[in-house]
């Protein structure tokens, strides 16, 4: 039984405040978790409130429905109490940031009571055998950096890696190799919000550099490393003109579909996230028709971890993969339901961090607990390596 829920403001990786929750149980269980925060957020996400307001509202509405009322180990009960406390369909009352922090902290307290690792509490006794392939962000721009690439994330996916440890190190090596190649070209640069290099180059040069870095590292490690993208299409799309605005030109929807399809073929892309606007299920479906058998077409802002939007996407053949961000929907239960629905319909779930992160490692456990084929959580930087290193530890404990 939950006996205490404490909420506080802590720092995220951008230096902004976010919500941290502690959940304590009668039998001495303890869980602590913090909400991440997006910069290129989807229009249909659950609502993040300013942390001080989210905390005040959650203390008033949610905490009394949990303390002495709910069991930390009963995740559906905890998350139903959060929904009841909120009373809206987008967590605009207590804030999705308070909700997700409490939901994840309760899961950790539930695991603590059982003396089980979080992935096992969430996934059951038979989980922990399969490990997700980490998608590592090595070059990026968009909303995550000023004056860098138009495409938000150039990702690498070590699909041939024999272990999660090899995969994590391969991504970091590609990240380092990209830096060497940039230096050779005399391109100075810093990093974006997710630790990817954020050079002031155009997308075609970024493709060249990442492609070259991948080949170099592939030869070095001896296994296959794939190339992927998060286009963050909604950020490029101008709804007034109906075009995708790049630094050097614009593309109408048909041109955007063709452009992405060409990129898939030219670079053998294994993963393409949000290639099109978050409202354009039809364009997503056209692209999926064209290249969906060669690559994952993943909906992030399109689906926002929301089962209603995923049902629509499944009906219309919009994609074959969904990004899962617990804070987009507000609770672990909702995230699990989205993963379940996706898997039943042949959509690959990809568990994801946000551009604003903390040291919280819940998503590493969520990915293992749900047998997700991929996890997207950066390549370097403390708030990213917190998750990557946790995956290495989970794998180490399992063997
Ligand atoms: P965000 O970006 O966390 O800033 O929304 C990540 C993504 O688009 O996948
Ligand atoms: Zn995205």
């Amino acid at each position: 039984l939950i006996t205490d829920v404490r909420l506080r403001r802590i720092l995220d990786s951008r230096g902004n405040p976010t919500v941290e929750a502690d959940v304590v149980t009668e039998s001495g269980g303890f869980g602590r978790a913090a909400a991440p925060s997006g910069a290129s957020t989807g229009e249909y996400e659950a609502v993040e409130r300013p942390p001080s307001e989210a905390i005040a509202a959650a203390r008033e509405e949610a905490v009394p429905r949990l303390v002495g009322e709910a069991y930390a180990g009963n995740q559906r009960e905890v998350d139903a109490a959060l929904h009841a406390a909120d009373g809206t369909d987008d967590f605009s009352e207590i804030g999705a940031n308070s909700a997700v922090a409490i939901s994840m902290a309760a899961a950790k307290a539930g695991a603590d009571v059982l003396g089980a690792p979080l992935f096992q509490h969430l996934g059951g006794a038979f989980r922990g055998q399969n490990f997700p392939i980490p998608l590592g962000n090595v070059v990026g721009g968009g909303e995550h950096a000023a004056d860098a690439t138009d495409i938000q994330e150039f990702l690498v996916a070590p699909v041939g890696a024999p272990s999660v440890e090899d995969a994590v190190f391969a991504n970091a090596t590609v990240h380092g190799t990209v830096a060497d190649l940039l230096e050779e070209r005399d391109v100075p640069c810093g990093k974006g919000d997710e630790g990817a290099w954020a050079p002031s180059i155009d997308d075609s040069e970024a493709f060249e550099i990442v492609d070259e870095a991948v080949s170099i590292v592939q030869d070095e490690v001896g296994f296959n490393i794939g190339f992927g993208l998060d286009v963050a299409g909604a950020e490029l799309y101008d709804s007034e003109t109906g075009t995708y605005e790049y630094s050097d030109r614009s593309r109408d929807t048909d041109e955007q579909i063709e452009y992405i399809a060409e990129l898939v073929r030219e670079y053998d892309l294994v993963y393409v996230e949000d290639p099109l606007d978050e409202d354009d299920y039809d364009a997503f479906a056209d692209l999926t028709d064209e290249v969906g058998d060669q690559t994952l077409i993943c909906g992030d802002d399109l689906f926002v971890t929301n089962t209603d939007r995923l049902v629509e996407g499944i009906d219309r053949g919009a994609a074959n993969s969904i990004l899962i961000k617990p804070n987009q929907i507000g609770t672990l239960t909702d995230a699990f339901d989205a993963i379940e629905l996706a898997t039943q319909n042949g959509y690959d779930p990809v568990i994801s961090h946000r551009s604003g992160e903390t040291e919280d490692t819940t998503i590493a456990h969520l990915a293992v607990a749900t047998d997700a084929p991929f996890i997207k959580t950066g390549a370097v930087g403390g708030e990213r390596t917190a998750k990557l290193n946790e995956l290495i530890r989970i794998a180490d404990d399992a063997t």
Side-chain angles (χ1 to χ4, degrees), residues 131 361-362 364-365 385-395:
F131 285 88
T361 61
T362 306
H365 289 266
T385 56
K387 285 80 163 162
L388 298 169
N389 288 338
E390 187 74 353
L391 281 175
I392 293 174
R393 289 181 205 111
I394 294 171

Side-chain angles (χ1 to χ4, degrees), residues 40-118:
S40 73
T41 48
E43 194 183 333
Y44 305 101
E45 293 192 20
V47 174
E48 174 187 317
R49 293 192 63 190
S52 50
E53 293 173 21
I55 288 170
R59 279 184 186 143
E60 193 173 321
E61 307 290 342
V63 174
R65 287 176 187 259
L66 292 166
V67 172
E69 302 286 333
Y71 285 88
N74 187 341
Q75 195 67 40
R76 284 198 185 271
E77 182 186 35
V78 168
D79 293 342
L82 291 170
H83 276 291
D86 179 76
T88 72
D89 59 6
D90 58 6
F91 277 117
S92 50
E93 178 59 34
I94 65 170
N97 38 352
S98 276
V100 81
I102 295 170
S103 179
M104 297 191 306
K108 290 185 186 178
D112 192 34
V113 168
L114 295 173
L118 179 59

Side-chain angles (χ1 to χ4, degrees), residues 157-178:
V159 288
S163 71
V164 74
E165 179 189 341
D166 288 308
V168 165
F169 278 90
N171 284 354
T173 306
V174 176
H175 186 271
T177 304
V178 165

Side-chain angles (χ1 to χ4, degrees), residues 63-311:
V63 174
R65 287 176 187 259
L66 292 166
V67 172
E69 302 286 333
Y71 285 88
N74 187 341
Q75 195 67 40
R76 284 198 185 271
E77 182 186 35
V78 168
D79 293 342
L82 291 170
H83 276 291
D86 179 76
T88 72
D89 59 6
D90 58 6
F91 277 117
S92 50
E93 178 59 34
I94 65 170
N97 38 352
S98 276
V100 81
I102 295 170
S103 179
M104 297 191 306
K108 290 185 186 178
D112 192 34
V113 168
L114 295 173
L118 179 59
F119 75 85
Q120 207 170 80
H121 168 50
L122 294 175
F126 298 99
R127 303 300 178 154
Q129 306 306 308
N130 298 309
F131 285 88
I133 294 163
L135 286 159
N137 189 356
V138 296
V139 172
E143 297 295 303
H144 293 168
D147 192 28
T149 56
D150 291 327
I151 289 179
Q152 182 178 284
E153 299 167 27
F154 292 78
L155 301 159
V156 289
V159 288
S163 71
V164 74
E165 179 189 341
D166 288 308
V168 165
F169 278 90
N171 284 354
T173 306
V174 176
H175 186 271
T177 304
V178 165
D180 296 342
L181 296 176
L182 287 166
E183 200 182 328
E184 271 173 31
R185 294 179 184 224
D186 278 326
V187 180
C189 73
K191 291 176 187 170
D193 286 347
E194 296 184 352
W197 300 108
S200 178
I201 56 177
D202 57 25
D203 289 6
S204 61
E205 192 172 1
F207 275 107
E208 263 176 46
I209 290 171
V210 176
D211 199 41
E212 191 181 340
V214 165
S215 331
I216 293 170
V217 176
Q218 213 165 228
D219 287 346
E220 212 174 292
V221 297
F223 54 77
N224 194 9
I225 301 176
F227 191 158
L229 300 174
D230 181 0
V231 180
E235 306 295 336
L236 297 172
Y237 188 69
D238 181 341
S239 53
E240 300 278 299
T241 56
T243 51
Y244 293 82
E245 294 301 318
Y246 291 81
S247 311
D248 58 336
R249 58 165 293 181
S250 44
R251 292 182 171 87
D252 67 21
T253 297
D254 286 341
E255 289 170 332
Q256 176 73 0
I257 293 170
E258 246 354 89
Y259 174 54
I260 301 295
E262 276 164 29
L263 291 173
V264 168
R265 293 182 197 113
E266 183 169 354
Y267 295 101
D268 251 327
L269 300 181
V270 296
Y271 178 82
V272 184
E273 180 180 326
D274 281 351
L276 293 146
D277 182 56
E278 62 201 335
D279 287 310
D280 205 343
Y281 286 95
D282 287 338
F284 260 91
D286 289 345
L287 180 66
T288 300
D289 252 354
E290 200 168 327
V291 293
D293 55 350
Q294 299 161 59
T295 191
L296 289 183
I297 301 293
C298 182
D300 169 15
D301 293 348
L302 178 70
F303 295 137
V304 293
T305 318
N306 181 314
T307 51
D308 292 339
R309 292 188 65 86
L310 179 57
V311 165

